[in-house]
Amino acid sequence: MDQEKKIKNIKEEYEAADEVMLPSFIEEYIRDGRPGVSKIVGQAQKKMEKLRVERERLEKLRYYEHQYEDRYPMICGIDEVGRGPLAGPVCAAAVILPKDCEILYINDSKKLSEARREALYDEIMEKAVAVGVGLVSSAVIDEVNILQATYIAMRDAISQLEVAPDILLNDAVTIPEVNIKQIPIIKGDAKSISIGAASIIAKVTRDRLMQEYDEIMPGYGFAQNKGYGTKEHIEALKSMGPSPIHRSTFIKNFV
């Protein structure tokens, strides 16, 4: 080891190191002795520990997948977003991940930052065996009610899959008119890696759509509130009236 190597250079080396390189980096510098280097080594050790803990969490998220994977190779997670907003569609996603697929930090989409969701969306789309998305408009929601609209979105998402699933892991519901074995799991988006992946795809898809609606129909704050009934949104609704994407059955008390 070059004893004269500057701490700045060692820090740059650490920042450039991927997970595979970290153990060698730690071994090389752990006996350096300089406080600045010891701090960097400590950061590397914490990063390794964080990854270990995350992999343990992910293994727990595979509990349901491991239960069914021998009998049902193509396991599909199903989840939806957008049941509660005053405006915009309800969106469902269906995701089939490869067996033992590792996508770090998958979780219930509501527990993730926007930046994390966006990064995970890209990784899921890249690694998934198949992804399907179903969108049902506010007009249909008003016509059939939100629960039936959610079921329609879920069936549409399943129909969009390029690979037929053997079993569905659903977030809490059993979908009518689907002739595939279903396992409803309460709070499934935080208990199943497949459902968690579906929740991220659905959330990012719908959020992006609401941002586009904000450009077309400014004033309601769709980019920020995603159609949910924030104070600002309700005030805009009262002053401007409903937009074409508002759910008339949801806004009776405000217009």
Side-chain angles (χ1 to χ4, degrees):
M1 183 181 68
D2 181 4
Q3 295 290 345
E4 300 303 317
K5 187 177 287 189
K6 293 182 179 180
I7 293 175
K8 177 184 176 182
N9 299 129
I10 295 172
K11 184 175 182 181
E12 290 172 350
E13 190 176 330
Y14 161 64
E15 290 173 348
D18 60 21
E19 182 183 354
V20 175
M21 298 164 62
L22 282 176
S24 298
F25 174 87
I26 293 168
E27 183 178 355
E28 181 175 358
Y29 294 110
I30 196 167
R31 295 180 181 84
D32 182 286
R34 288 175 288 176
V37 177
S38 296
K39 181 179 178 181
I40 297 168
V41 169
Q43 291 173 344
Q45 290 171 323
K46 286 179 181 178
K47 187 173 184 178
M48 290 290 293
E49 175 62 12
K50 184 178 179 181
L51 288 167
R52 184 192 68 77
V53 170
E54 173 59 16
R55 287 200 168 90
E56 283 188 0
R57 188 191 69 85
L58 272 187
E59 187 58 27
K60 291 178 181 177
L61 270 187
R62 294 191 185 98
Y63 171 79
Y64 290 97
E65 282 75 8
H66 288 329
Q67 266 197 314
Y68 298 105
E69 63 192 5
D70 291 339
R71 289 171 290 164
Y72 306 99
M74 290 297 156
I75 297 173
C76 179
I78 307 280
D79 201 8
E80 53 71 33
V81 297
R83 283 201 196 188
L86 306 180
V90 62
C91 179
V95 176
I96 301 175
L97 295 175
K99 184 178 179 180
D100 295 326
C101 176
E102 180 175 277
I103 302 177
L104 298 178
Y105 308 111
I106 277 186
N107 207 333
D108 171 3
S109 63
K110 296 185 292 295
K111 297 180 179 179
L112 302 170
S113 68
E114 182 178 353
R116 177 77 79 185
R117 285 195 300 267
E118 289 282 347
L120 284 169
Y121 175 95
D122 291 340
E123 190 172 359
I124 293 164
M125 294 297 289
E126 177 186 342
K127 294 182 177 179
V129 173
V131 175
V133 172
L135 287 159
V136 175
S137 71
S138 54
V140 175
I141 292 169
D142 287 333
E143 181 181 347
V144 302
N145 78 47
I146 185 59
L147 179 59
Q148 295 306 316
T150 299
Y151 290 150
I152 294 170
M154 289 178 167
R155 289 193 291 266
D156 286 351
I158 296 166
S159 73
Q160 294 298 316
L161 293 168
E162 295 182 354
V163 176
D166 297 313
I167 190 172
L168 307 177
L169 303 183
N170 305 337
D171 186 25
V173 302
T174 299
I175 310 163
E177 303 171 37
V178 172
N179 297 318
I180 304 170
K181 183 175 178 62
Q182 302 182 57
I183 308 295
I185 303 168
I186 303 298
K187 297 184 178 178
D189 45 9
K191 295 179 181 177
S192 158
I193 190 170
S194 301
I195 300 175
S199 78
I200 291 166
I201 296 298
K203 174 70 172 165
V204 172
T205 299
R206 189 180 186 280
D207 283 359
R208 289 177 178 177
L209 185 58
M210 294 306 294
Q211 288 166 358
E212 291 178 15
Y213 280 137
D214 188 61
E215 295 179 8
I216 299 168
M217 293 168 273
Y220 297 100
F222 290 145
Q224 291 75 39
N225 59 50
K226 307 303 188 287
Y228 285 88
T230 63
K231 179 182 177 182
E232 292 77 14
H233 182 185
I234 291 170
E235 287 176 353
L237 184 58
K238 289 178 178 178
S239 63
M240 297 170 60
S243 74
I245 65 164
H246 275 97
R247 305 171 182 179
S248 61
T249 52
F250 279 50
I251 61 173
K252 291 177 181 178
N253 295 331
F254 307 121
V255 293

